[in-house]
PDB file of all heavy atoms in Angstrom:
ATOM      1  N   GLU A 638      -3.281  -4.405   4.996  1.00 68.00           N
ATOM      2  CA  GLU A 638      -4.759  -4.632   5.308  1.00 68.00           C
ATOM      3  C   GLU A 638      -5.205  -6.014   5.029  1.00 68.00           C
ATOM      4  O   GLU A 638      -4.705  -6.773   4.235  1.00 68.00           O
ATOM      5  CB  GLU A 638      -5.715  -3.664   4.542  1.00 68.00           C
ATOM      6  CG  GLU A 638      -5.575  -3.675   3.100  1.00 68.00           C
ATOM      7  CD  GLU A 638      -6.339  -2.778   2.439  1.00 68.00           C
ATOM      8  OE1 GLU A 638      -7.484  -2.306   2.912  1.00 68.00           O
ATOM      9  OE2 GLU A 638      -6.030  -2.367   1.256  1.00 68.00           O
ATOM     10  N   TYR A 641     -10.281  -8.588   0.510  1.00 74.00           N
ATOM     11  CA  TYR A 641     -11.666  -8.740   0.292  1.00 74.00           C
ATOM     12  C   TYR A 641     -12.054 -10.216   0.460  1.00 74.00           C
ATOM     13  O   TYR A 641     -13.137 -10.536   0.916  1.00 74.00           O
ATOM     14  CB  TYR A 641     -12.073  -8.160  -0.933  1.00 74.00           C
ATOM     15  CG  TYR A 641     -11.890  -6.665  -0.980  1.00 74.00           C
ATOM     16  CD1 TYR A 641     -11.059  -6.137  -1.968  1.00 74.00           C
ATOM     17  CD2 TYR A 641     -12.428  -5.902  -0.101  1.00 74.00           C
ATOM     18  CE1 TYR A 641     -10.922  -4.690  -1.926  1.00 74.00           C
ATOM     19  CE2 TYR A 641     -12.227  -4.417  -0.054  1.00 74.00           C
ATOM     20  CZ  TYR A 641     -11.401  -3.943  -0.979  1.00 74.00           C
ATOM     21  OH  TYR A 641     -11.262  -2.620  -1.080  1.00 74.00           O
ATOM     22  N   SER A 710      -1.736  -5.549  -4.805  1.00 91.00           N
ATOM     23  CA  SER A 710      -2.357  -4.832  -3.845  1.00 91.00           C
ATOM     24  C   SER A 710      -3.863  -4.761  -4.043  1.00 91.00           C
ATOM     25  O   SER A 710      -4.572  -4.121  -3.196  1.00 91.00           O
ATOM     26  CB  SER A 710      -1.875  -3.306  -3.888  1.00 91.00           C
ATOM     27  OG  SER A 710      -1.956  -2.741  -5.087  1.00 91.00           O
ATOM     28  N   GLY A 711      -4.482  -5.533  -4.914  1.00 88.00           N
ATOM     29  CA  GLY A 711      -5.927  -5.435  -5.117  1.00 88.00           C
ATOM     30  C   GLY A 711      -6.294  -4.194  -5.845  1.00 88.00           C
ATOM     31  O   GLY A 711      -5.453  -3.464  -6.310  1.00 88.00           O
ATOM     32  N   VAL A 712      -7.691  -4.005  -5.673  1.00 81.00           N
ATOM     33  CA  VAL A 712      -8.247  -2.788  -6.351  1.00 81.00           C
ATOM     34  C   VAL A 712      -8.182  -1.749  -5.409  1.00 81.00           C
ATOM     35  O   VAL A 712      -8.734  -1.833  -4.173  1.00 81.00           O
ATOM     36  CB  VAL A 712      -9.685  -3.120  -6.786  1.00 81.00           C
ATOM     37  CG1 VAL A 712     -10.379  -1.879  -7.368  1.00 81.00           C
ATOM     38  CG2 VAL A 712      -9.742  -4.259  -7.706  1.00 81.00           C
ATOM     39  N   SER A 713      -7.680  -0.718  -5.783  1.00 71.00           N
ATOM     40  CA  SER A 713      -7.561   0.539  -4.795  1.00 71.00           C
ATOM     41  C   SER A 713      -8.773   1.302  -5.050  1.00 71.00           C
ATOM     42  O   SER A 713      -9.251   1.654  -6.218  1.00 71.00           O
ATOM     43  CB  SER A 713      -6.308   1.434  -5.219  1.00 71.00           C
ATOM     44  OG  SER A 713      -6.439   2.681  -4.491  1.00 71.00           O
ATOM     45  N   LYS A 714      -9.521   1.672  -3.940  1.00 65.00           N
ATOM     46  CA  LYS A 714     -10.741   2.550  -4.036  1.00 65.00           C
ATOM     47  C   LYS A 714     -10.454   4.030  -3.654  1.00 65.00           C
ATOM     48  O   LYS A 714     -11.347   4.764  -3.603  1.00 65.00           O
ATOM     49  CB  LYS A 714     -11.851   1.952  -2.955  1.00 65.00           C
ATOM     50  CG  LYS A 714     -12.285   0.640  -3.306  1.00 65.00           C
ATOM     51  CD  LYS A 714     -13.374   0.195  -2.370  1.00 65.00           C
ATOM     52  CE  LYS A 714     -13.938  -1.287  -2.855  1.00 65.00           C
ATOM     53  NZ  LYS A 714     -15.050  -1.598  -1.720  1.00 65.00           N
ATOM     54  N   ALA A 715      -9.130   4.268  -3.620  1.00 70.00           N
ATOM     55  CA  ALA A 715      -8.749   5.573  -3.211  1.00 70.00           C
ATOM     56  C   ALA A 715      -9.060   6.628  -4.429  1.00 70.00           C
ATOM     57  O   ALA A 715      -8.650   6.390  -5.580  1.00 70.00           O
ATOM     58  CB  ALA A 715      -7.226   5.645  -2.785  1.00 70.00           C
ATOM     59  N   LYS A 716      -9.817   7.655  -4.102  1.00 78.00           N
ATOM     60  CA  LYS A 716      -9.937   8.661  -5.129  1.00 78.00           C
ATOM     61  C   LYS A 716      -9.309   9.776  -4.855  1.00 78.00           C
ATOM     62  O   LYS A 716      -9.271  10.521  -3.624  1.00 78.00           O
ATOM     63  CB  LYS A 716     -11.516   8.970  -5.154  1.00 78.00           C
ATOM     64  CG  LYS A 716     -11.845   9.989  -6.196  1.00 78.00           C
ATOM     65  CD  LYS A 716     -13.365  10.253  -6.267  1.00 78.00           C
ATOM     66  CE  LYS A 716     -13.755  11.307  -7.341  1.00 78.00           C
ATOM     67  NZ  LYS A 716     -15.188  11.641  -7.432  1.00 78.00           N
ATOM     68  N   ARG A 819      -4.526   6.416   4.209  1.00 84.00           N
ATOM     69  CA  ARG A 819      -5.385   5.425   3.648  1.00 84.00           C
ATOM     70  C   ARG A 819      -4.739   3.986   3.975  1.00 84.00           C
ATOM     71  O   ARG A 819      -3.556   3.901   4.150  1.00 84.00           O
ATOM     72  CB  ARG A 819      -5.605   5.546   2.109  1.00 84.00           C
ATOM     73  CG  ARG A 819      -6.167   6.820   1.780  1.00 84.00           C
ATOM     74  CD  ARG A 819      -6.387   6.750   0.231  1.00 84.00           C
ATOM     75  NE  ARG A 819      -6.959   8.130  -0.300  1.00 84.00           N
ATOM     76  CZ  ARG A 819      -6.331   9.056  -1.061  1.00 84.00           C
ATOM     77  NH1 ARG A 819      -4.978   8.790  -1.157  1.00 84.00           N
ATOM     78  NH2 ARG A 819      -6.926  10.033  -1.370  1.00 84.00           N
ATOM     79  N   ASP A 820      -5.709   3.013   3.811  1.00 74.00           N
ATOM     80  CA  ASP A 820      -5.143   1.614   3.915  1.00 74.00           C
ATOM     81  C   ASP A 820      -4.365   1.258   2.735  1.00 74.00           C
ATOM     82  O   ASP A 820      -3.394   0.499   2.850  1.00 74.00           O
ATOM     83  CB  ASP A 820      -6.281   0.604   4.085  1.00 74.00           C
ATOM     84  CG  ASP A 820      -6.871   0.525   5.403  1.00 74.00           C
ATOM     85  OD1 ASP A 820      -5.984   0.628   6.421  1.00 74.00           O
ATOM     86  OD2 ASP A 820      -7.950   0.353   5.686  1.00 74.00           O
ATOM     87  N   SER A 821      -4.670   1.806   1.534  1.00 72.00           N
ATOM     88  CA  SER A 821      -3.936   1.448   0.280  1.00 72.00           C
ATOM     89  C   SER A 821      -3.719   2.811  -0.489  1.00 72.00           C
ATOM     90  O   SER A 821      -4.491   3.722  -0.388  1.00 72.00           O
ATOM     91  CB  SER A 821      -4.691   0.495  -0.490  1.00 72.00           C
ATOM     92  OG  SER A 821      -6.029   0.889  -0.860  1.00 72.00           O
ATOM     93  N   ILE A 822      -2.633   2.632  -1.309  1.00 77.00           N
ATOM     94  CA  ILE A 822      -2.329   3.867  -2.106  1.00 77.00           C
ATOM     95  C   ILE A 822      -2.518   3.576  -3.567  1.00 77.00           C
ATOM     96  O   ILE A 822      -2.087   2.360  -3.971  1.00 77.00           O
ATOM     97  CB  ILE A 822      -0.902   4.178  -1.750  1.00 77.00           C
ATOM     98  CG1 ILE A 822      -0.780   4.673  -0.354  1.00 77.00           C
ATOM     99  CG2 ILE A 822      -0.417   5.321  -2.707  1.00 77.00           C
ATOM    100  CD1 ILE A 822       0.701   4.918   0.079  1.00 77.00           C
ATOM    101  N   ALA A 823      -2.985   4.293  -4.303  1.00 81.00           N
ATOM    102  CA  ALA A 823      -3.174   4.040  -5.694  1.00 81.00           C
ATOM    103  C   ALA A 823      -1.767   3.825  -6.398  1.00 81.00           C
ATOM    104  O   ALA A 823      -0.890   4.417  -6.116  1.00 81.00           O
ATOM    105  CB  ALA A 823      -3.678   5.297  -6.532  1.00 81.00           C
ATOM    106  N   PRO A 824      -1.700   2.684  -7.176  1.00 87.00           N
ATOM    107  CA  PRO A 824      -0.362   2.230  -7.724  1.00 87.00           C
ATOM    108  C   PRO A 824       0.382   3.234  -8.452  1.00 87.00           C
ATOM    109  O   PRO A 824       1.673   3.246  -8.190  1.00 87.00           O
ATOM    110  CB  PRO A 824      -0.761   1.109  -8.728  1.00 87.00           C
ATOM    111  CG  PRO A 824      -2.091   0.631  -8.231  1.00 87.00           C
ATOM    112  CD  PRO A 824      -2.838   1.773  -7.664  1.00 87.00           C
ATOM    113  N   ASN A 825      -0.233   4.151  -9.147  1.00 82.00           N
ATOM    114  CA  ASN A 825       0.532   5.094  -9.879  1.00 82.00           C
ATOM    115  C   ASN A 825       1.048   6.274  -9.038  1.00 82.00           C
ATOM    116  O   ASN A 825       1.860   7.200  -9.359  1.00 82.00           O
ATOM    117  CB  ASN A 825      -0.166   5.697 -11.257  1.00 82.00           C
ATOM    118  CG  ASN A 825      -1.516   6.293 -10.842  1.00 82.00           C
ATOM    119  OD1 ASN A 825      -2.034   6.069  -9.605  1.00 82.00           O
ATOM    120  ND2 ASN A 825      -2.202   6.751 -11.871  1.00 82.00           N
ATOM    121  N   GLY A 836      -7.858   2.360 -15.319  1.00 84.00           N
ATOM    122  CA  GLY A 836      -7.867   2.355 -13.900  1.00 84.00           C
ATOM    123  C   GLY A 836      -7.137   1.195 -13.208  1.00 84.00           C
ATOM    124  O   GLY A 836      -7.012   1.023 -11.980  1.00 84.00           O
ATOM    125  N   TYR A 837      -6.624   0.368 -14.077  1.00 91.00           N
ATOM    126  CA  TYR A 837      -5.904  -0.792 -13.677  1.00 91.00           C
ATOM    127  C   TYR A 837      -4.426  -0.774 -13.992  1.00 91.00           C
ATOM    128  O   TYR A 837      -4.100   0.109 -15.039  1.00 91.00           O
ATOM    129  CB  TYR A 837      -6.411  -2.089 -14.206  1.00 91.00           C
ATOM    130  CG  TYR A 837      -7.827  -2.327 -13.678  1.00 91.00           C
ATOM    131  CD1 TYR A 837      -9.005  -2.158 -14.526  1.00 91.00           C
ATOM    132  CD2 TYR A 837      -8.046  -2.940 -12.431  1.00 91.00           C
ATOM    133  CE1 TYR A 837     -10.231  -2.361 -14.099  1.00 91.00           C
ATOM    134  CE2 TYR A 837      -9.263  -3.157 -11.995  1.00 91.00           C
ATOM    135  CZ  TYR A 837     -10.472  -2.907 -12.763  1.00 91.00           C
ATOM    136  OH  TYR A 837     -11.685  -3.193 -12.345  1.00 91.00           O
ATOM    137  N   ASP A 856      -6.022  -8.478  -8.734  1.00 93.00           N
ATOM    138  CA  ASP A 856      -7.177  -7.526  -9.074  1.00 93.00           C
ATOM    139  C   ASP A 856      -6.610  -6.200  -9.552  1.00 93.00           C
ATOM    140  O   ASP A 856      -7.216  -5.524 -10.325  1.00 93.00           O
ATOM    141  CB  ASP A 856      -8.010  -7.390  -7.880  1.00 93.00           C
ATOM    142  CG  ASP A 856      -8.924  -8.588  -7.497  1.00 93.00           C
ATOM    143  OD1 ASP A 856      -8.921  -9.557  -8.256  1.00 93.00           O
ATOM    144  OD2 ASP A 856      -9.682  -8.481  -6.529  1.00 93.00           O
ATOM    145  N   CYS A 857      -5.407  -5.842  -9.142  1.00 94.00           N
ATOM    146  CA  CYS A 857      -4.832  -4.551  -9.488  1.00 94.00           C
ATOM    147  C   CYS A 857      -4.583  -4.661 -11.093  1.00 94.00           C
ATOM    148  O   CYS A 857      -4.331  -3.387 -11.683  1.00 94.00           O
ATOM    149  CB  CYS A 857      -3.554  -4.190  -8.804  1.00 94.00           C
ATOM    150  SG  CYS A 857      -2.199  -5.365  -8.863  1.00 94.00           S
TER     151      CYS A 857
END
Side-chain angles (χ1 to χ4, degrees):
E638 60 179 330
Y641 298 119
S710 55
V712 177
S713 173
K714 294 185 177 181
K716 183 179 180 181
R819 302 186 179 104
D820 279 323
S821 61
I822 298 170
N825 55 357
Y837 297 102
D856 288 358
C857 63

